[in-house]
Amino acid sequence: MPLHPQAEALRAHRARSGAPPLYTLTLAEARAADLDDIRAAAGTPEPVAAVEEHRIPGPAGDLTLRLYRPEPPGRPLPALLYLFGGGWTLGSIDTGDALCRRLTNAVGCVTAAVGYRLAPEHPFPAALHDCRAALDQLVARAEEFGIDPTRIAVGGDSAGGNLGAALTLLLRTEGGPALRHQLLVYPNTDHGADTPSLREHDDPLWFNRRSVAWYWGHYLADPADGADPYASPLRAADLSGLPPATVLTAEYDPLRDEGEQYAEALRAAGVPVDLRRYPGVPHGFFAMTGTLDAAGEAQAHAAARLREALW
């Protein structure tokens, strides 16, 4: 379908602003612009009962773990480890602040956001191992954090969705907590993708195929690493035994097809999957609750799926 009128208005605003594509900027400029764009589109952040920051050990030094609580501590709650997007190159725990707040309230869970290391300073698989470290800390310190370690889900958007999918594969191989659910929002799933959606979407005012190549170029120190299933989950030989999944995609997104292919591959391997495509909206829409009605609808659906899994 055509762009939703709200998305068309957003595109027109971007055109008037003259803001250059992120992939034409320096890393420092792109990181600042990305955070500004996300905050502007997210609307007013919702209040939560409490926000805490902890330092946790990671594979190469301490990491920041931010916890969002829907109510004061007092009883163990389920938890969602939410991994921010940004092509493994941009983003921070501040990038996902408004989104984590909304999911915390809507699901009634503790939402944990980890400040994983970014590429190209720390290429694949550094971010994945940081995410594993954060999950391990949620379990090891569950009593301290007020979390029920038997009720944990993982989620993320874009590169965060990639990391969430990869984390479930890593846990299946290495052992670890049994996750209740995985929420994958327009995830990258294949470094070698050559899909219709990737070829079709080249609008410089949106996340496009050049954006995808730019991010992968930073994330992988060696392009050959793209064949590793922990970088490209769609290339895993076996997807059986993974947690039930909710996969959300956007019509105007170069990653649309590979996200949907991953959902179908999970389903073919016997994993319960809820797949939903949102028409007329671009990549990144999930965080745009201050701009696009579809964002609120998608977040409500994601929260309902997580509540069903965790409560």
Side-chain angles (χ1 to χ4, degrees), residues 88 101 200:
W88 316 279
R101 289 170 178 271
E200 291 164 6

Side-chain angles (χ1 to χ4, degrees), residues 75 165 222:
R75 60 176 178 137
D222 183 342

